[in-house]
Amino acid sequence: MAPGAAGAARLALLALLWTLLPGPGGAGTSIHPSEAIIPRGGSLRVNCSISCDQKAILSLEAESTKKVVDRRNNWKVFELSDVQEDHMLLCISMCHSEVTMASMDLTVYWFPEHVELAPLPLWQPVGEELNLSCLVSGGAPRAHLSVVLLRGEEELGRQPVGKGEPAEVMFTVQPRREDHGTNFSCRWELDLRSQGLELFQNTSAPRKLQTYGEALGSQQRRCTEGDFLLGMRGPWEAEAPGHGAAEKVATLIAKASGKSIFLATGVECSGLGACTEG
Ligand SMILES: *[C@@H]1O[C@H](CO)[C@@H](O)[C@H](O)[C@H]1NC(C)=O
Ligand SMILES: *[C@@H]1O[C@H](CO)[C@@H](O)[C@H](O)[C@H]1NC(C)=O
Ligand SMILES: *[C@@H]1O[C@H](CO)[C@@H](O)[C@H](O)[C@H]1NC(C)=O
Ligand SMILES: *[C@@H]1O[C@H](CO)[C@@H](O)[C@H](O)[C@H]1NC(C)=O
């Protein structure tokens, strides 16, 4: 049977009818299991039964492919296959002329296809807030899916993954000097332990953070290629043995960002264009 809007509407109508019908009384319909979680594309056997003193009519409403695999007078086992989405199953039976129903919730789980830490700024000043975004594509059920921000192996924060494809989860950190050269990454966790399954997880490729120093003052110099803040400590790697590397890094930043760049104390804007104090 084709899943889709028509099927969903029919189920909704049946569910409504169900609430209007007289209560289950003595001859009740049962569905077993009463809830289930299966991998997307997986299959499941469902047993619909009724307590009835004669042969009863039994049927199952489901938005996935189904077939009867076993039956007796008062029960039928259906096999659902290639289940793609969460849905409600409704078992409907008729004993004498009384119709009763029972429902079950079927949940589908699948792992995110991709997780990524959005690119970091080329250089990040220490002590200043930095927003890191984790992007998670796919994965369900979202209510059990969270994302963890990692600094190396250390867990810095954890948040639920909301809607969106990809879903974006933002963390704010304040990088420290010792974070220079550290790998940051995002890990998704699909925690299905409460459903009798496992904790599944996977981690994004790491991105390396490069930090630079505290402000020692904030005189600004305007050069033809951009604004330069002098009186800042340069990138850590550039501190020794000389400032040649810092100058190179500064040049690199100027070219990359095209706006504010930071030079190690004492490094001239040579090669970057004429500068004026500003
Ligand atoms: C289906 O359920 C009925 C009622 O509980 C039970 O008697 C029957 O054995 C079940 N069939 C299978 C194949 O499990
Ligand atoms: C980080 O994100 C928050 C919320 O969107 C925003 O208010 C703040 O300005 C951002 N900070 C930086 C450094 O981009
Ligand atoms: C950071 O990640 C890169 C790429 O996976 C790896 O080569 C490097 O060793 C990592 N650095 C640290 C400090 O873990
Ligand atoms: C985890 O990620 C790796 C690399 O992206 C991928 O090859 C692997 O299939 C993923 N595992 C799961 C369970 O998603």
Side-chain angles (χ1 to χ4, degrees):
M1 167 183 150
R10 196 150 67 106
L11 267 184
L13 182 64
L14 282 165
L16 176 68
L17 267 177
W18 184 29
T19 63
L20 299 177
L21 280 167
T29 299
S30 309
I31 187 164
H32 183 83
S34 56
E35 59 177 10
I37 181 163
I38 61 170
R40 187 171 65 166
S43 54
L44 176 76
R45 287 188 172 202
V46 174
N47 185 346
C48 270
S49 60
I50 182 164
S51 46
C52 184
D53 55 13
Q54 64 172 53
K55 191 172 188 309
I57 297 170
L58 281 162
S59 75
L60 181 74
E61 286 293 325
E63 285 174 56
S64 33
T65 312
K66 61 171 198 259
K67 65 173 188 210
V68 176
V69 291
D70 199 2
R71 69 200 303 169
R72 296 290 185 279
N73 275 352
N74 294 336
W75 56 263
K76 255 188 203 176
V77 174
F78 296 88
E79 187 173 81
L80 304 174
S81 54
D82 191 27
V83 178
Q84 292 294 329
E85 285 185 329
D86 292 359
H87 60 277
M88 190 179 80
L89 307 181
L90 204 52
C91 178
I92 305 164
S93 47
M94 193 160 84
C95 175
H96 299 287
S97 56
E98 192 189 358
V99 175
T100 53
M101 305 189 197
S103 71
M104 74 165 278
D105 284 319
L106 179 54
T107 306
V108 162
Y109 72 88
W110 49 292
F111 302 149
E113 286 134 2
H114 189 68
V115 57
E116 185 187 344
L117 172 62
L120 304 176
L122 193 53
W123 291 96
Q124 166 68 22
V126 296
E128 264 181 37
E129 280 193 353
L130 171 64
N131 288 335
L132 297 175
S133 284
C134 293
L135 303 167
V136 180
S137 309
R142 285 279 166 103
H144 292 264
L145 185 63
S146 52
V147 68
V148 174
L149 178 70
L150 298 168
R151 173 168 60 204
E153 300 287 307
E154 184 194 353
E155 185 175 322
L156 290 184
R158 163 185 300 269
Q159 284 184 49
V161 176
K163 290 186 178 16
E165 282 303 338
E168 182 174 3
V169 178
M170 200 168 69
F171 295 90
T172 303
V173 295
Q174 264 190 5
R176 308 158 304 175
R177 180 186 166 150
E178 52 271 38
D179 291 331
H180 181 71
T182 305
N183 282 336
F184 283 77
S185 55
C186 300
R187 180 172 73 205
W188 59 258
E189 291 190 357
L190 186 62
D191 189 354
L192 300 179
R193 287 175 295 189
S194 61
Q195 317 292 306
L197 296 168
E198 291 167 48
L199 172 67
F200 302 98
Q201 59 183 47
N202 210 353
T203 307
S204 71
R207 287 193 191 273
K208 195 164 98 170
L209 185 70
Q210 306 190 93
T211 64
Y212 65 84
E214 310 89 351
L216 301 174
S218 58
Q219 306 126 291
Q220 207 171 15
R221 267 195 195 191
R222 191 162 294 276
C223 300
T224 49
E225 287 192 30
D227 291 333
F228 296 80
L229 282 175
L230 290 184
M232 309 275 300
R233 299 265 300 279
W236 311 120
E237 277 160 7
E239 286 185 337
H243 291 301
E247 194 172 7
K248 212 165 120 198
V249 168
T251 310
L252 194 75
I253 301 168
K255 294 225 164 91
S257 71
K259 40 179 192 161
S260 296
I261 69 152
F262 303 89
L263 295 178
T265 315
V267 172
E268 296 301 320
C269 289
S270 57
L272 294 175
C275 300
T276 55
E277 299 283 346

PDB file of all heavy atoms in Angstrom, residues 240-254:
ATOM      1  N   ALA A 240      58.893  33.596  18.538  1.00  0.00           N
ATOM      2  CA  ALA A 240      60.324  33.313  18.483  1.00  0.00           C
ATOM      3  C   ALA A 240      60.591  32.589  17.172  1.00  0.00           C
ATOM      4  O   ALA A 240      59.698  31.937  16.645  1.00  0.00           O
ATOM      5  CB  ALA A 240      60.701  32.420  19.663  1.00  0.00           C
ATOM      6  N   PRO A 241      61.741  32.659  16.615  1.00  0.00           N
ATOM      7  CA  PRO A 241      62.882  33.407  17.112  1.00  0.00           C
ATOM      8  C   PRO A 241      62.857  34.894  16.727  1.00  0.00           C
ATOM      9  O   PRO A 241      63.544  35.687  17.344  1.00  0.00           O
ATOM     10  CB  PRO A 241      64.067  32.697  16.471  1.00  0.00           C
ATOM     11  CG  PRO A 241      63.507  32.158  15.192  1.00  0.00           C
ATOM     12  CD  PRO A 241      62.058  31.888  15.438  1.00  0.00           C
ATOM     13  N   GLY A 242      62.155  35.280  15.733  1.00  0.00           N
ATOM     14  CA  GLY A 242      62.125  36.699  15.369  1.00  0.00           C
ATOM     15  C   GLY A 242      60.719  37.037  14.945  1.00  0.00           C
ATOM     16  O   GLY A 242      59.803  36.241  15.146  1.00  0.00           O
ATOM     17  N   HIS A 243      60.552  38.181  14.376  1.00  0.00           N
ATOM     18  CA  HIS A 243      59.196  38.538  13.977  1.00  0.00           C
ATOM     19  C   HIS A 243      58.935  38.319  12.497  1.00  0.00           C
ATOM     20  O   HIS A 243      57.906  38.714  11.992  1.00  0.00           O
ATOM     21  CB  HIS A 243      58.904  39.992  14.355  1.00  0.00           C
ATOM     22  CG  HIS A 243      58.810  40.174  15.830  1.00  0.00           C
ATOM     23  ND1 HIS A 243      57.900  39.494  16.592  1.00  0.00           N
ATOM     24  CD2 HIS A 243      59.528  40.951  16.676  1.00  0.00           C
ATOM     25  CE1 HIS A 243      58.055  39.846  17.861  1.00  0.00           C
ATOM     26  NE2 HIS A 243      59.043  40.731  17.946  1.00  0.00           N
ATOM     27  N   GLY A 244      59.927  37.749  11.848  1.00  0.00           N
ATOM     28  CA  GLY A 244      59.777  37.523  10.405  1.00  0.00           C
ATOM     29  C   GLY A 244      58.512  36.734  10.096  1.00  0.00           C
ATOM     30  O   GLY A 244      57.729  37.078   9.225  1.00  0.00           O
ATOM     31  N   ALA A 245      58.312  35.694  10.929  1.00  0.00           N
ATOM     32  CA  ALA A 245      57.148  34.833  10.716  1.00  0.00           C
ATOM     33  C   ALA A 245      55.864  35.615  10.962  1.00  0.00           C
ATOM     34  O   ALA A 245      54.892  35.466  10.239  1.00  0.00           O
ATOM     35  CB  ALA A 245      57.223  33.634  11.638  1.00  0.00           C
ATOM     36  N   ALA A 246      55.925  36.458  11.993  1.00  0.00           N
ATOM     37  CA  ALA A 246      54.727  37.242  12.330  1.00  0.00           C
ATOM     38  C   ALA A 246      54.334  38.130  11.157  1.00  0.00           C
ATOM     39  O   ALA A 246      53.161  38.258  10.836  1.00  0.00           O
ATOM     40  CB  ALA A 246      54.981  38.088  13.568  1.00  0.00           C
ATOM     41  N   GLU A 247      55.354  38.690  10.555  1.00  0.00           N
ATOM     42  CA  GLU A 247      55.077  39.582   9.439  1.00  0.00           C
ATOM     43  C   GLU A 247      54.416  38.812   8.298  1.00  0.00           C
ATOM     44  O   GLU A 247      53.470  39.273   7.685  1.00  0.00           O
ATOM     45  CB  GLU A 247      56.375  40.218   8.966  1.00  0.00           C
ATOM     46  CG  GLU A 247      56.119  41.380   8.048  1.00  0.00           C
ATOM     47  CD  GLU A 247      57.393  42.135   7.742  1.00  0.00           C
ATOM     48  OE1 GLU A 247      58.480  41.657   8.138  1.00  0.00           O
ATOM     49  OE2 GLU A 247      57.305  43.171   7.103  1.00  0.00           O
ATOM     50  N   LYS A 248      54.933  37.618   8.112  1.00  0.00           N
ATOM     51  CA  LYS A 248      54.395  36.777   7.056  1.00  0.00           C
ATOM     52  C   LYS A 248      52.934  36.419   7.362  1.00  0.00           C
ATOM     53  O   LYS A 248      52.067  36.492   6.509  1.00  0.00           O
ATOM     54  CB  LYS A 248      55.223  35.488   6.963  1.00  0.00           C
ATOM     55  CG  LYS A 248      55.303  34.932   5.578  1.00  0.00           C
ATOM     56  CD  LYS A 248      56.410  33.904   5.504  1.00  0.00           C
ATOM     57  CE  LYS A 248      55.842  32.562   5.106  1.00  0.00           C
ATOM     58  NZ  LYS A 248      56.752  31.465   5.422  1.00  0.00           N
ATOM     59  N   VAL A 249      52.710  36.084   8.632  1.00  0.00           N
ATOM     60  CA  VAL A 249      51.358  35.734   9.052  1.00  0.00           C
ATOM     61  C   VAL A 249      50.442  36.933   8.876  1.00  0.00           C
ATOM     62  O   VAL A 249      49.338  36.832   8.364  1.00  0.00           O
ATOM     63  CB  VAL A 249      51.357  35.243  10.516  1.00  0.00           C
ATOM     64  CG1 VAL A 249      49.937  35.173  11.036  1.00  0.00           C
ATOM     65  CG2 VAL A 249      52.030  33.889  10.607  1.00  0.00           C
ATOM     66  N   ALA A 250      50.960  38.107   9.278  1.00  0.00           N
ATOM     67  CA  ALA A 250      50.159  39.323   9.155  1.00  0.00           C
ATOM     68  C   ALA A 250      49.797  39.558   7.693  1.00  0.00           C
ATOM     69  O   ALA A 250      48.664  39.904   7.376  1.00  0.00           O
ATOM     70  CB  ALA A 250      50.923  40.507   9.718  1.00  0.00           C
ATOM     71  N   THR A 251      50.751  39.345   6.831  1.00  0.00           N
ATOM     72  CA  THR A 251      50.499  39.527   5.404  1.00  0.00           C
ATOM     73  C   THR A 251      49.406  38.576   4.950  1.00  0.00           C
ATOM     74  O   THR A 251      48.483  38.946   4.249  1.00  0.00           O
ATOM     75  CB  THR A 251      51.790  39.245   4.607  1.00  0.00           C
ATOM     76  OG1 THR A 251      52.831  39.989   5.201  1.00  0.00           O
ATOM     77  CG2 THR A 251      51.616  39.643   3.166  1.00  0.00           C
ATOM     78  N   LEU A 252      49.548  37.360   5.455  1.00  0.00           N
ATOM     79  CA  LEU A 252      48.588  36.315   5.105  1.00  0.00           C
ATOM     80  C   LEU A 252      47.187  36.709   5.548  1.00  0.00           C
ATOM     81  O   LEU A 252      46.218  36.583   4.818  1.00  0.00           O
ATOM     82  CB  LEU A 252      49.018  35.039   5.823  1.00  0.00           C
ATOM     83  CG  LEU A 252      48.391  33.748   5.368  1.00  0.00           C
ATOM     84  CD1 LEU A 252      49.010  33.338   4.044  1.00  0.00           C
ATOM     85  CD2 LEU A 252      48.652  32.668   6.414  1.00  0.00           C
ATOM     86  N   ILE A 253      47.079  37.217   6.782  1.00  0.00           N
ATOM     87  CA  ILE A 253      45.772  37.595   7.307  1.00  0.00           C
ATOM     88  C   ILE A 253      45.193  38.740   6.487  1.00  0.00           C
ATOM     89  O   ILE A 253      44.021  38.736   6.144  1.00  0.00           O
ATOM     90  CB  ILE A 253      45.853  38.003   8.795  1.00  0.00           C
ATOM     91  CG1 ILE A 253      46.399  36.850   9.629  1.00  0.00           C
ATOM     92  CG2 ILE A 253      44.498  38.416   9.318  1.00  0.00           C
ATOM     93  CD1 ILE A 253      46.764  37.249  11.023  1.00  0.00           C
ATOM     94  N   ALA A 254      46.053  39.704   6.171  1.00  0.00           N
ATOM     95  CA  ALA A 254      45.581  40.854   5.399  1.00  0.00           C
ATOM     96  C   ALA A 254      45.001  40.397   4.071  1.00  0.00           C
ATOM     97  O   ALA A 254      43.945  40.826   3.663  1.00  0.00           O
ATOM     98  CB  ALA A 254      46.733  41.822   5.160  1.00  0.00           C
TER      99      ALA A 254
END
